[in-house]
Amino acid sequence: MRTQVAIIGAGPSGLLLGQLLHKAGIDNIILERQSGDYVLSRIRAGILEQVTVDLMREAGVAQRLDREGIVHHSIELVFAGQRHPIDVHGLTGGKVVTAYGQTELTRDLMDARAAAGLTTVYDAGEVTLHDFDGSTPTVSYRKDGQTHTLACDFIAGCDGFHGVSRASVKDRVTEYEKVYPFGWLGVLADVPPVSPHAIVYGNSERGFSLCSMRSMTRSRYYVQCPLDDKVESWSDTRFWDELRSRLDPELAERIVTGPSIEKSIAPLRSFVAEPMRFGRLFLAGDAAHIVPPTGAKGLNLAATDVKYLSGAFIEYFRDRSAAGIDTYSQRSLRRIWKAERFSWWLTTLMHRFPDSEGFGQKVQEAELDYLVNSRALSTSLAENYVGLPL
Ligand code: APR
Ligand code: PHB
């Protein structure tokens, strides 16, 4: 088998890359370790920057997103029992974010790929990358008891944090990492969102909380929890009581509760691997970087990597220019580090740190007070929230 771009991983990065390349007439095959159903069962954040919405449109897969995405003009911060709106739209000269679940975005991309008749090999085992330092890379994998080899011009490593692509170059990458001393307990429930027009971020003495949504009838809520907590010790009742206790009285009163349809605990991590190119192998998305979920930058960063990488491949095949592939890593990392900084900053601002002394706590309170009363700092928050310019 032969293709122009072998894509490892059918998460949002791999699927979006495949679709953009296909639109430009570049053939590609995706190798995915899991089944399609498994990929669709993963629940992740769901706030899209304009750049991500635009890319979905460019890929021709935004019909449902345009219909069902919920446009947000503002966010709200809750602390010391009070709610403070941040007018993201006004502070950024008219920019917005759109609430649309990553699962739905992945489903739209999968459907479009199937409709275009493009090859995705699910349940591909033992995916192994070969010869990407030379001009004729290949990828081998096991499927149905047989070993197959895929020859290609380029390999796109879109296989997430635990994938084989970064592992294939582990002695050539520099890794930067920060692990946070708490997790997020997330609940999905078929109840109307408490705040349909603004995502709410709360900092209370009991810890962080977040009110988000997937639609006007499906809500996504989170509370900060200790890393060693077990989901089983969180009944629905305990979760709703805890969430209410972290919000201001008016929101707490208004919240509609119901049975959870998903409940999980996730750790928080900041991580960057540099560089993102090794000969004819390119890393994109979670394969190269992780952000803590505060601010929902993970999917948006993956989308920007894919924008740069698809552009670079198109330049290479259409214009015979290597300029894009030569600058891919440097260009992506510039944007990635800014999103890393923002996600770290918002996480630090909004969570209670178990090891924080009195001084750290007081500085955090002062910063929150400064933020909601300073147009300069609110603008900084807003422009990062909607996504910095490309
Ligand atoms: N071989 C083939 N596929 C693999 C391998 C492997 N060895 N290892 C992992 N994969 C697959 C995973 O099963 C997964 O479907 O690669 C895919 C990677 O998808 P994601 O983890 O969703 O990563 P990415 O597409 O970069 O999406 C980034 O996901 O975690 C969120 O916050 C993040 O929203 C962001 C988005
Ligand atoms: C989510 O909807 O899951 C979400 C929203 C905003 C965030 C993080 C996660 O900052």
Side-chain angles (χ1 to χ4, degrees), residues 12 48 52 56 64-65 100-110 299:
L48 310 185
T52 306
M56 289 291 284
R64 197 159 68 100
L65 163 59
Y100 191 68
Q102 180 170 318
T103 314
E104 301 314 312
L105 178 141
T106 307
R107 192 190 306 280
D108 295 343
L109 286 162
M110 276 184 179
L299 174 59

Side-chain angles (χ1 to χ4, degrees), residues 130-143:
H130 309 273
D131 301 330
F132 46 82
D133 281 318
S135 57
T136 53
T138 60
V139 183
S140 60
Y141 62 96
R142 297 277 298 169
K143 171 88 183 170

